[in-house]
Amino acid sequence: MTLFERIVAGEIPCNKVHENSDFLAFHDINPKAPIHVLAIPKKCVRSFQEVDPSWMGGMTSFIQEVARKLGLDEAGYRVITNIGYDGGQEVPHLHFHILGGARLAWVDLRENENQAKKSL
Ligand code: AMP
């Protein structure tokens, strides 16, 4: 069982933002922006690469509802999904990071590049 399946099952608590029969949104435990929420399907699929495209309509509407509920829809926000090792995915259960509440930086994401710069 993935960490997020355990959250869906109520075995691990979460700070819930929104929910319907298929999807759940809750605050990220280690926020990277003033508002950082995760939106997940309740049924586990490993990543975006493996999702049935027919799920994505419902997932999209759900993310839009969450953004409205958080008051992010007017000012804007960012949606990210990490996929696999190079994508930096830590939890193997599809999730979309919804980030906002401030003007977000657009940074160089290359881990090796950043490490190389640090060692100069
Ligand atoms: P990723 O690296 O894309 O797999 O993102 C996993 C995210 O899950 C990270 O941003 C973590 O901070 C977050 N996370 C891990 N455990 C929890 C938890 N118990 N409740 C909320 N968020 C969590």
Side-chain angles (χ1 to χ4, degrees), residues 54-98:
S54 68
W55 282 24
M56 287 306 297
M59 186 91 245
T60 301
S61 303
F62 184 75
I63 291 169
Q64 291 168 343
E65 281 168 30
V66 171
R68 277 194 291 275
K69 196 162 181 177
L70 294 166
L72 298 176
D73 53 318
E74 292 289 329
Y77 60 98
R78 188 170 297 165
V79 176
I80 295 175
T81 188
N82 296 326
I83 300 155
Y85 178 78
D86 270 5
Q89 184 178 6
E90 287 173 2
V91 179
H93 181 140
L94 175 66
H95 51 284
F96 291 85
H97 298 259
I98 301 170

Side-chain angles (χ1 to χ4, degrees), residues 12-57:
I12 295 175
C14 73
N15 187 357
K16 186 166 77 178
V17 173
H18 195 46
E19 182 176 23
N20 67 22
S21 56
D22 296 324
F23 306 105
L24 173 68
F26 53 91
H27 288 277
D28 196 292
I29 207 166
N30 183 19
K32 303 287 194 298
I35 297 174
H36 184 174
V37 164
L38 301 174
I40 69 169
K42 289 185 173 177
K43 192 173 153 205
C44 183
V45 55
R46 193 175 178 83
S47 78
F48 180 78
Q49 190 57 33
E50 292 172 25
V51 73
D52 180 336
S54 68
W55 282 24
M56 287 306 297

